[in-house]
């Protein structure tokens, strides 16, 4: 019994020892494996050359042996190879030959010879075909200088900028322009105002009131060097001056060099590029337009663009023929008959001759057509136009019909609405908007647009210090003017703005509103050249023009036209979508423009951005001296 108990204790003891032994061995093994596991990581990261994978980095860190692995490839192997990227065309616009220094594409003298000379058709716009467009940059003449600042520029211009002496010889006796050293001098003379344009305008002011603000917009047909328009500016009257490119070389170029609004133009077979009821006053001083020919079609066109109650001023033949007929080398009977035809034609248009004094005669258009419609029983011609849009004026044929004024309810009412006097009319809601004739544009829209452009122009001046610098710029071009808000925001600066309304926006023709505000402008298709000389604008503003024309013509052609009309060191602001501006930036970088893209005035989150650019100064090289053979 005792032996059995003893054996039982031994068995328990052995079993206990065996369990402790197993636990001890297991603990030792766990410790060893734990130490083995943490030891490689205690060495720190090991640099792996050309490794881009954390997996390969870990494998190459094994210290005791090397692992032979296959690099995994996750790229597809059953697709065609990527096509070779197409080579991007880098635009290249070298300088044109110096012979193109004064190139006006749509009034080119060589092209004009192909067209009819009747009614001066050959002198109106005839633009090159797409395949004839120049792909080069028009050079300024050697020695070109930044023009004088206004108002000094009214009297002076640099000879190197417009190197023509033809007018100084041809019009020497009439005091149009003189050359003294390196400068042209403009004494303000004219064929019919030998005492100067200022005195001539004073004579007009004695006949009709030019001071009370009722006359703001004027047009000068056959303007010469635009002295009439230049001296009206001091009376707060802005004139659109035009003349053809003809034997009197560079008339319009001289005008713009002086800082006076002007365009190349002629009364021929198509309408002038202005809306109906645009001008408060029209003027012809020996402008050589045959008013009494072609059944009076040219005077009918003047009637279209005159506002109700507007004035037509005529000086020169045949006015005051009794005293001038010998000097005009015409017979007295011939001149008397011409004046009689003009008088009859004016009556047929229902104009009233209000005064003739000395060399000046003035007619006034009626304020409505109530009486005029009754007189059609007496004057069978011209009849009233029936179908043509009176504001359509881009390659629109002239018609021998009278443009009807808007309907009125009583005889004293002004057709189309009363215009406030200047300067109140600038910000008053224009009659075309008040009447609802512009679909979708309300008085509130107009007020909001006016305030918007005040904010935008203030922002521009913060970014572009030259625009903010008084007098740095004079001639400004707004390529897509809409309601004229950009020009209105600059009205207190010594600048004027040519407000262009693209003809592609004809569903919302706003040029009439611009004139009702007392501003000036023109219609324009920007796939074609503008009717102006090279280097005639100091500054160009282009609001979404490139988006508007993206499907019509090439961006580079519009930029080359901008480059043509922009002066060396002139400024540019282009507003458009950021993708459009990035494309433009690549092009202007090879056009010798310096540009940068800035955020929209509302901040960086707007897709529309603003490109500020400056055309660098460069000219044609000097002409090589001629050596005697």
């Amino acid at each position: 019994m005792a032996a059995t108990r003893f054996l039982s204790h031994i068995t328990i003891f052995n079993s206990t020892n065996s369990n402790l032994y197993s636990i001890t061995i297991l603990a030792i093994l766990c410790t060893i494996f734990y130490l083995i596991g943490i030891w490689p990581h205690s060495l720190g990261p090991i640099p792996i050359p050309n490794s881009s994978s954390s997996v390969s980095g870990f494998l190459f860190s094994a210290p005791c042996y090397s692992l032979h692995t296959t690099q995994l490839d996750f790229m597809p192997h059953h697709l065609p190879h990527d096509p070779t990227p197409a080579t991007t065309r880098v635009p290249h616009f070298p300088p044109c030959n110096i012979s193109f220094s004064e190139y006006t594409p749509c009034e080119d003298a060589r092209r004009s010879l192909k067209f009819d000379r009747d009614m001066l058709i050959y002198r109106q716009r005839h633009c090159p075909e797409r395949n004839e467009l120049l792909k080069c940059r028009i050079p300024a003449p050697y020695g070109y200088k930044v023009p004088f600042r206004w108002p000094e520029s009214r009297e002076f211009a640099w000879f190197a900028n417009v190197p023509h002496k033809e007018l100084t010889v041809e019009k020497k006796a009439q005091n149009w322009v003189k050359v003294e050293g390196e400068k042209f001098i403009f004494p303000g003379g004219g064929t019919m105002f030998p005492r100067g344009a200022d005195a001539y305008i004073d004579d007009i002011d004695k006949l009709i009131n030019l001071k009370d603000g009722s006359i703001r917009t004027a047009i000068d047909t056959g303007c010469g060097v635009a002295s009439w328009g230049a001296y009206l500016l001091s009376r707060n009257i802005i004139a659109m001056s035009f003349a053809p490119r003809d034997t009197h070389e560079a008339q319009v170029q001289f005008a713009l060099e002086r800082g006076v609004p002007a365009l190349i133009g002629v009364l021929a077979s198509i309408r002038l590029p202005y809306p109906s009821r645009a001008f408060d006053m029209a003027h012809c001083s020996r402008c050589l337009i045959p008013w009494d020919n072609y059944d009076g079609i040219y005077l009918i066109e003047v009637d279209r663009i005159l506002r109700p109650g507007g004035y037509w001023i005529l000086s020169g033949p045949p006015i005051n023929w009794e005293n001038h007929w010998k000097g005009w080398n015409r017979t007295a009977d011939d001149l008397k008959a011409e004046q009689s035809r003009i008088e009859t034609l004016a009556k047929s248009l229902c104009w009233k001759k209000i005064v003739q004094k000395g060399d000046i005669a003035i007619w006034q258009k009626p304020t409505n057509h109530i009486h005029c419609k009754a007189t059609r029983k007496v004057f069978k011609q011209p009849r009233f136009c029936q179908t043509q849009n009176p504001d359509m004026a881009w390659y629109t044929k002239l018609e021998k019909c009278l443009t009807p004024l808007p309907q009125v309810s009583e005889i004293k009412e002004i057709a189309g609405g009363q215009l406030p006097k200047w300067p109140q009319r600038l910000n008053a809601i224009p009659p075309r908007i008040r009447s609802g004739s512009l679909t979708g544009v309300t008085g509130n829209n107009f007020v909001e647009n006016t305030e918007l452009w005040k904010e935008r122009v203030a922002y521009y001046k913060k970014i572009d210090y030259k625009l903010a610098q008084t007098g740095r710029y004079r001639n400004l071009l707004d390529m897509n003017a809409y309601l004229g808000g950009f020009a209105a925001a600059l009205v207190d600066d010594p600048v004027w703005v040519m407000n262009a309304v693209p003809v592609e926006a004809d569903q919302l023709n706003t040029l009439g509103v611009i004139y009702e505000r007392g501003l000036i402008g023109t219609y324009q298709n920007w796939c074609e050249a503008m009717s102006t000389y090279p280097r005639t604008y100091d500054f160009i503003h282009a609001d979404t023009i490139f988006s508007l024309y993206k499907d019509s013509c090439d961006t580079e052609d519009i930029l080359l036209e901008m480059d043509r009309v922009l002066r060396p060191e002139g400024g540019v602001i282009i507003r458009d979508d950021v993708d459009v501006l990035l494309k433009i930036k690549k092009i202007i970088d090879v056009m010798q423009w310096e540009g940068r893209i800035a955020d929209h005035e509302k901040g960086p989150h707007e897709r529309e951005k603003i490109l500020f650019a400056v055309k660098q100064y460069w000219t044609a090289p000097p002409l090589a001296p001629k050596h005697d053979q």
Side-chain angles (χ1 to χ4, degrees):
M1 191 68 179
T4 302
R5 249 192 246 110
F6 175 75
L7 289 174
S8 176
H9 282 296
I10 291 175
T11 301
I12 292 169
F13 175 79
N14 289 339
S15 175
T16 301
N17 286 344
S18 175
N19 289 339
L20 290 172
Y21 179 77
S22 297
I23 290 170
T24 301
I25 294 298
L26 183 61
I28 292 171
L29 288 174
C30 287
T31 302
I32 291 171
F33 283 117
Y34 173 78
L35 293 174
I36 291 173
I38 66 171
W39 178 72
H41 298 285
S42 69
L43 298 178
I46 299 175
I48 306 298
N50 302 321
S51 174
S52 60
S53 164
S54 61
V55 174
S56 61
F58 172 73
L59 293 176
F60 275 89
S61 68
C64 298
Y65 48 84
S66 64
L67 298 174
H68 299 283
T69 63
T70 301
Q71 182 72 33
L72 296 178
D73 183 2
F74 296 99
M75 298 300 293
H77 291 276
H78 301 286
L79 296 175
H81 294 294
D82 290 338
T84 304
T87 303
T88 302
R89 184 178 75 85
V90 177
H92 177 57
F93 306 115
C96 302
N97 187 280
I98 186 60
S99 62
F100 288 97
S101 177
E102 294 177 357
Y103 181 53
T104 54
C106 297
E107 288 83 15
D108 182 58
R110 291 167 295 181
R111 182 178 294 104
S112 71
L113 297 176
K114 300 185 295 184
F115 297 94
D116 195 345
R117 301 181 78 85
D118 184 47
M119 291 185 72
L120 298 181
I121 289 173
Y122 76 108
R123 283 186 177 161
Q124 63 191 24
R125 283 176 63 89
H126 301 290
C127 297
E129 299 294 331
R130 187 73 64 89
N131 60 356
E132 297 177 294
L133 296 177
L134 294 181
K135 298 293 183 179
C136 55
R137 293 173 290 124
I138 303 296
Y142 180 73
Y144 179 90
K145 298 180 181 180
V146 174
F148 292 94
R149 293 192 176 190
W150 182 267
E152 190 179 7
S153 65
R154 186 175 67 177
E155 279 81 38
F156 300 103
W158 295 113
F159 177 80
N161 294 7
V162 193
H164 291 286
K165 292 186 178 181
E166 294 90 340
L167 281 174
T168 66
V169 176
E170 196 171 332
K171 300 292 183 181
K172 182 178 180 180
Q174 294 160 16
N175 227 16
W176 280 25
V177 57
K178 299 177 180 179
V179 178
E180 289 189 7
E182 296 183 334
K183 294 186 292 188
F184 285 111
I185 298 177
F186 299 92
T191 307
M192 294 307 301
F193 29 95
R195 295 181 295 121
D198 225 14
Y200 174 77
I201 293 169
D202 285 340
D203 290 340
I204 295 174
D205 188 38
K206 294 171 185 175
L207 305 177
I208 56 175
N209 196 332
L210 301 180
K211 297 188 181 76
D212 69 351
S214 59
I215 296 175
R216 164 62 181 175
T217 58
I219 185 166
D220 192 11
T221 57
C223 65
V225 295
S227 289
W228 187 71
Y231 284 88
L232 277 175
L233 288 166
S234 61
R235 295 162 169 84
N236 282 323
I237 297 173
I238 187 166
M240 175 70 78
S241 301
F242 75 85
R245 178 164 189 166
D246 59 7
T247 54
H248 295 166
E249 189 64 54
Q251 295 176 87
V252 166
Q253 192 175 16
F254 275 126
L256 287 156
E257 196 69 19
R258 299 174 71 184
V260 179
L263 284 173
I264 299 172
V266 64
L267 266 169
S269 70
I270 59 175
R271 285 179 170 180
L272 297 173
Y274 316 115
S276 65
R277 314 193 317 272
F279 297 99
D280 306 321
M281 177 169 61
H283 174 256
C284 164
S285 175
R286 199 181 174 93
C287 61
L288 306 180
I289 294 172
W291 298 112
D292 58 323
N293 288 0
Y294 308 109
D295 298 322
I297 198 168
Y298 297 142
L299 209 55
I300 290 171
E301 173 63 358
V302 171
D303 179 84
R304 182 185 71 86
I305 61 176
L306 265 184
R307 72 163 173 85
Y311 300 97
W312 183 55
I313 302 171
L314 177 63
S315 65
I319 304 303
N320 201 12
W321 57 269
E322 297 91 343
N323 294 316
H324 293 300
W325 66 274
K326 289 182 180 178
W328 290 339
N329 295 317
R330 292 174 60 183
T331 67
D333 288 343
D334 181 28
L335 287 161
K336 181 180 179 181
E338 180 183 347
Q339 177 152 353
S340 178
R341 290 192 297 270
I342 290 175
E343 302 272 11
T344 300
L345 177 60
K347 286 181 181 178
S348 75
L349 300 176
C350 306
W351 293 5
K352 178 183 179 182
K353 188 175 184 180
I354 58 174
V355 67
Q356 178 174 327
K357 186 174 181 180
D359 296 337
I360 300 171
I362 303 177
W363 285 261
Q364 186 173 24
K365 180 177 175 176
T367 56
N368 60 61
H369 274 163
I370 289 180
H371 282 321
C372 196
K373 289 179 179 178
T375 64
R376 290 311 90 187
K377 297 176 182 178
V378 177
F379 296 101
K380 302 298 183 183
Q381 298 294 332
R383 59 181 174 80
F384 279 102
C385 301
Q386 299 297 320
T387 57
Q388 257 190 7
N389 180 346
D391 292 340
M392 187 181 294
W394 187 251
Y395 297 119
T396 305
K397 288 288 186 183
L398 292 178
E399 281 193 305
K400 298 174 184 177
C401 60
L402 186 58
T403 300
L405 290 173
Q407 295 284 347
V408 295
S409 56
E410 52 97 14
I411 194 65
K412 293 184 179 180
E413 186 179 350
I414 296 176
Q418 176 74 49
L419 284 175
K421 292 181 179 181
W422 181 264
Q424 287 74 26
R425 70 189 268 187
L426 177 68
N427 293 314
I429 298 173
R432 277 172 164 89
I433 293 178
R434 287 203 312 265
S435 67
S437 60
L438 280 182
T439 305
V441 182
T442 66
N444 287 338
N445 297 149
F446 174 79
V447 172
E448 290 169 1
N449 184 265
T450 300
E451 293 304 313
L452 173 67
W453 280 105
K454 287 180 182 178
E455 295 172 7
R456 287 181 169 181
V457 168
Y459 179 70
Y460 289 168
K461 289 183 175 182
K462 289 181 181 179
I463 305 296
D464 184 350
Y465 73 93
K466 289 184 178 179
L467 184 61
Q469 187 180 20
T470 301
R472 176 62 181 83
Y473 298 131
R474 172 64 183 170
N475 304 351
L476 277 62
L477 170 63
D478 190 358
M479 296 176 69
N480 189 11
Y482 188 43
L483 301 177
F486 173 75
L490 290 165
V491 71
D492 292 327
D493 292 0
V495 303
W496 63 269
V497 180
M498 181 67 76
N499 293 282
V501 171
V503 293
E504 286 69 21
D506 59 356
Q507 297 302 313
L508 194 62
N509 187 341
T510 57
L511 191 54
V513 165
I514 288 168
Y515 276 94
E516 287 179 341
R517 300 188 74 173
L519 306 170
I520 60 169
T522 182
Y523 294 114
Q524 178 65 37
N525 176 352
W526 289 112
C527 290
E528 299 179 359
M530 193 177 184
S531 290
T532 191
Y533 284 83
R535 302 173 302 281
T536 49
Y537 286 95
D538 306 309
F539 182 92
I540 299 177
H541 180 251
D543 181 10
T544 61
I545 274 292
F546 294 92
S547 290
L548 179 63
Y549 283 92
K550 65 181 179 181
D551 299 322
S552 304
C553 48
D554 292 339
T555 296
E556 63 187 37
D557 290 330
I558 298 177
L559 286 168
L560 284 170
E561 173 60 8
M562 293 169 68
D563 185 80
R564 183 184 75 87
V565 304
L566 185 65
R567 297 189 191 280
E569 299 186 355
V572 177
I573 292 179
I574 303 173
R575 301 179 69 95
D576 222 310
D577 184 83
V578 62
D579 290 340
V580 174
L581 292 187
L582 289 172
K583 178 182 178 182
I584 291 171
K585 181 67 168 59
K586 291 179 181 178
I587 298 174
I588 68 170
D589 284 346
V590 297
M591 288 174 56
Q592 288 185 264
W593 290 16
E594 292 180 353
R596 60 193 177 103
I597 297 175
D599 284 329
H600 190 278
E601 60 270 6
K602 290 183 179 178
H605 300 298
E606 300 287 332
R607 277 198 62 84
E608 184 177 79
K609 304 294 180 185
I610 305 170
L611 190 153
F612 294 84
V614 175
K615 178 179 176 178
Q616 297 177 39
Y617 179 90
W618 67 277
T619 70
L623 295 175
K626 295 181 179 179
H627 300 287
D628 294 333
Q629 299 294 325

